[in-house]
Amino acid sequence: MIVVTGATGQLGRLIVENLITRVPADRVAVSVRDVQKAQDLAARGVRVRRGDFAEPASLAHAFEGASQVFMVSSNARATGGDTLAQHRAAIDAARSAGARRIVYTSHMAASRSSAFPPMLDHAATEQLLSESGLAWTSLRNGFYASSAVFLLAKGLQTGVFEAPADGKVSWTTHADLAEAAAVILTNEGRYDGPTPPLTASQALDFGALCELASGILGRPLHRSTVPEDEMRAKLTASGMPAPAVAISLGLYRASRDGEFAAVNPTLRELLGRAPTGMREVLAEKLGRAA
């Protein structure tokens, strides 16, 4: 039994969709906070149970019978929550349920010295996994391509993308990472510990993304570099909580340091094809052919 947490989220849902094309649906279970959102999966034979990292007692039932637990990382830090406490609860529940292995959604830049706050949690969680006594695999995922699209959204309306100076990022799609995760889950033991970086084939900064978008739209999208303090003031004035502001600004600082610039062939090898590039992503989102 493979138990997937966060299965109504963007990544978790895609992983389940990929898994049930590879193994019988009755070998897949999901742990979700709202079971009503997963009823379509239940109708297809997937076991659906309520489980919430913030409520450790709920995880015993959700993880029952698991051979592997796919642990989607918590984003509690963004709202001031305790991400590590939630991860520790999930690891403890997986061990108590008798799972052999935890597969965890980490990040290519996981590090205790990263300028991007979530990477600190990923590094600390990998340490918890290494001390858990279980076999574990940490998916060092590339930065989600959807984050770039989200960040560009306002600029696409105004014609100017404003942000602090940045560096290149290996933007990678949820769909490609979900497919790779399903391959790894159904080939248990292919990777022990952290994987190589699971990235698309090209790293691009926001200047390059603006050029791509301009070409697709047929109108200019200008890149405007603003000081970090100015950006912090704007984000704070918009009502963004302080932890989320730190994460937002940390992205630019870490990218300037080259934390997200690596490009690695492992994802291509897992998929058996080229990963989706940002030109394709932007063309789809902007409703135009590449």
Side-chain angles (χ1 to χ4, degrees):
M1 179 73 74
I2 300 172
V3 176
V4 179
T5 72
T8 54
Q10 189 171 356
L11 183 66
R13 167 72 65 160
L14 289 170
I15 290 169
V16 174
E17 295 286 351
N18 274 277
L19 274 176
I20 59 179
T21 69
R22 291 171 166 80
V23 299
D26 62 5
R27 286 182 51 199
V28 180
V30 299
S31 170
V32 294
R33 284 180 292 183
D34 184 349
V35 296
Q36 293 304 313
K37 293 181 178 179
Q39 287 308 298
D40 62 311
L41 294 176
R44 294 158 70 183
V46 174
R47 190 185 81 184
V48 175
R49 292 183 177 177
R50 183 178 180 278
D52 188 336
F53 287 4
E55 299 175 29
S58 71
L59 299 178
H61 183 58
F63 289 3
E64 184 182 9
S67 57
Q68 295 186 82
V69 172
F70 188 87
M71 181 176 153
V72 176
S73 59
S74 166
N75 63 354
R77 176 189 280 267
T79 54
D82 190 337
T83 294
L84 285 181
Q86 293 190 13
H87 288 176
R88 189 178 292 107
I91 293 168
D92 289 346
R95 184 172 50 239
S96 295
R100 294 189 301 264
R101 177 179 297 271
I102 295 175
V103 180
Y104 170 66
T105 58
S106 188
H107 197 284
M108 64 182 294
S111 165
R112 291 186 179 277
S113 60
S114 175
F116 188 49
M119 301 304 98
L120 309 179
D121 294 330
H122 286 311
T125 299
E126 290 182 352
Q127 182 64 34
L128 292 176
L129 288 167
S130 73
E131 297 168 352
S132 69
L134 299 175
W136 59 284
T137 302
S138 181
L139 306 181
R140 289 287 185 91
N141 288 341
F143 216 107
Y144 293 143
S146 60
S147 298
V149 175
F150 173 79
L151 291 167
L152 286 170
K154 183 176 180 181
L156 291 169
Q157 294 178 343
T158 64
V160 179
F161 172 73
E162 290 187 337
D166 67 316
K168 291 183 177 181
V169 176
S170 301
W171 304 106
T172 311
T173 67
H174 279 84
D176 286 348
L177 292 169
E179 184 176 340
V183 171
I184 290 171
L185 283 164
T186 52
N187 290 272
E188 186 179 349
R190 181 166 180 172
Y191 294 102
D192 280 309
T195 67
L198 302 177
T199 72
S201 304
Q202 188 178 27
L204 300 167
D205 62 17
F206 275 106
L209 293 181
C210 288
E211 290 180 10
L212 283 179
S214 296
I216 293 165
L217 291 169
R219 57 178 171 80
L221 173 58
H222 298 290
R223 169 67 163 104
S224 174
T225 301
V226 299
E228 191 172 298
D229 287 346
E230 181 180 333
M231 194 72 182
R232 179 181 291 104
K234 288 184 176 183
L235 294 174
T236 301
S238 74
M240 184 179 287
V245 171
I247 290 171
S248 180
L249 295 177
L251 162 61
Y252 299 103
R253 197 176 305 130
S255 68
R256 289 197 302 271
D257 292 342
E259 292 192 33
F260 312 126
V263 171
N264 188 282
T266 301
L267 182 59
R268 175 190 284 268
E269 293 163 5
L270 287 166
L271 300 177
R273 59 171 173 80
T276 306
M278 280 305 294
R279 181 181 294 278
E280 296 166 83
V281 171
L282 290 173
E284 179 185 354
K285 295 298 182 182
L286 300 179
R288 302 290 180 88

